[in-house]
Amino acid sequence: MPRTAFFVSDRTGITAEMLGHSLITQFEDVNFRRISLPYIDTPEKAHEATAKIRHQAEIDGCRPLVFSTVVNDALRAIIHVDEALTLDFFEIFIGPLEKELGRESSHTVGKTHGIANFEEYKTRIDAVNFALNHDDGVMPRDLNEADIILIGVSRAAKTPTCLYLALQYGIKAANYPLTPEDFGQHTLPKLLLPYRNKLFGLTIDPVRLSQIREERKPNSKYAALDNCQFEVGEAEALMRHVGVPYLASTTRSIEELATTIMHRTGLTRRTY
């Protein structure tokens, strides 16, 4: 039988989902049904959420898990019910912090994922727009503004990694696809030469690359295994020759790729 996990928040629920998900993924033999209840910011909504939690307990025949980041004390009291195991992140962490720091928290709703800091929010939006405008080398004229430029063969996870760097860290990331026209010269494409110190490469196992490309363009030379082996081999040889560091994306998640790139390049997070 699956267990139900509720993620309850007075705002977007992103924090409750991330923290809760991090915990339940440690129980690999349990199948979890995930239900998000965002914007629980009035007593009426809190009682509705409680009704859903109690109803799910009846259906499951066991207590649901409730991961809560609700700030308001009165709403938190409503959500705490005997029919569920409630893990209140606010209660767990804020109390010890208040004691250690010798002062009360502001109890402000939406501080994490709101627009309380407009400049920081603008930094994130600008970074996302930059990544979108500089996907696959389509807008090379202002690459000097890039914090990093990812290079690699087509479908090596450059685009999603750039977008994650922008959204999560506020990093202006561009990407440039290495194509067969770039191989054989043993040097970087002319467009990238002025930005050598901003380059970071992504590579991928040729078999996996062929599978990904086959979904995009079935039965094409682009997706053929021998072509993928050639492109990956040439791209890696080029990056080694010119001294561009690179990572394999085959078994790494986008989160892992982005975090590793941040660590290895020394880039500094601009948004939280």
Side-chain angles (χ1 to χ4, degrees):
M1 288 290 294
R3 296 294 294 267
T4 301
F6 284 91
F7 306 104
V8 184
S9 174
D10 41 25
R11 292 294 291 174
T12 63
I14 293 173
T15 301
E17 289 174 344
M18 291 182 65
L19 291 172
H21 177 73
S22 296
L23 292 173
I24 62 179
T25 53
Q26 296 299 312
F27 300 90
E28 298 177 3
D29 58 339
V30 181
N31 181 24
F32 287 99
R33 179 188 298 109
R34 296 167 172 81
I35 300 176
S36 294
L37 301 177
Y39 299 106
I40 306 302
D41 52 7
T42 66
E44 292 76 18
K45 292 180 181 179
H47 283 297
E48 289 176 6
T50 298
K52 291 179 181 178
I53 293 167
R54 284 177 167 147
H55 180 62
Q56 195 63 50
E58 291 181 11
I59 294 174
D60 294 348
C62 58
R63 295 201 300 171
L65 308 180
V66 177
F67 299 97
S68 170
T69 54
V70 173
V71 173
N72 183 276
D73 290 336
L75 300 182
R76 289 162 57 210
I78 295 172
I79 293 168
H80 279 252
V81 293
D82 293 336
E83 293 87 349
L85 170 64
T86 300
L87 297 177
D88 189 327
F89 293 122
F90 193 91
E91 183 179 52
I92 291 169
F93 297 115
I94 291 294
L97 280 171
E98 288 179 334
K99 183 178 179 180
E100 179 65 27
L101 298 174
R103 63 192 66 194
E104 292 187 358
S105 67
S106 65
H107 281 54
T108 304
V109 174
K111 293 285 284 185
T112 305
H113 299 289
I115 316 182
N117 186 328
F118 178 77
E119 286 304 317
E120 187 173 295
Y121 185 76
K122 183 177 182 298
T123 295
R124 175 183 284 116
I125 296 302
D126 288 345
V128 170
N129 285 331
F130 187 89
L132 292 171
N133 290 334
H134 294 79
D135 185 36
D136 277 349
V138 296
M139 189 181 290
R141 67 173 181 269
D142 54 354
L143 281 177
N144 60 299
E145 294 182 18
D147 297 306
I148 191 168
I149 303 170
L150 300 185
I151 64 173
V153 299
S154 172
R155 315 308 291 178
K158 299 185 301 301
T159 296
T161 303
C162 283
L163 287 171
Y164 190 88
L165 285 167
L167 189 60
Q168 190 71 16
Y169 296 103
I171 295 297
K172 287 187 175 181
N175 76 78
Y176 183 94
L178 296 176
T179 66
E181 288 73 22
D182 298 316
F183 305 140
Q185 304 300 318
H186 303 294
T187 187
L188 292 167
K190 188 176 297 185
L191 175 68
L192 298 178
L193 287 174
Y195 313 108
R196 165 67 188 79
N197 63 329
K198 296 184 177 185
L199 302 183
F200 198 98
L202 291 181
T203 188
I204 187 172
D205 177 74
V207 175
R208 179 59 184 144
L209 178 62
S210 177
Q211 294 169 346
I212 294 172
R213 289 183 172 184
E214 189 68 29
E215 294 177 2
R216 186 176 178 84
K217 293 185 178 181
N219 303 315
S220 64
K221 179 181 178 181
Y222 171 74
L225 179 58
D226 58 348
N227 180 64
C228 292
Q229 290 171 329
F230 167 76
E231 288 192 28
V232 170
E234 288 292 315
E236 290 182 358
L238 172 60
M239 290 187 285
R240 285 194 302 268
H241 181 73
V242 299
V244 172
Y246 62 90
L247 286 172
S249 65
T250 315
T251 59
R252 287 184 173 93
S253 67
I254 299 303
E255 295 88 344
E256 289 174 312
L257 289 171
T259 303
T260 304
I261 289 170
M262 292 289 292
H263 176 71
R264 289 182 56 178
T265 60
L267 288 170
T268 302
R269 174 192 287 270
R270 295 199 177 95
T271 61
Y272 286 89

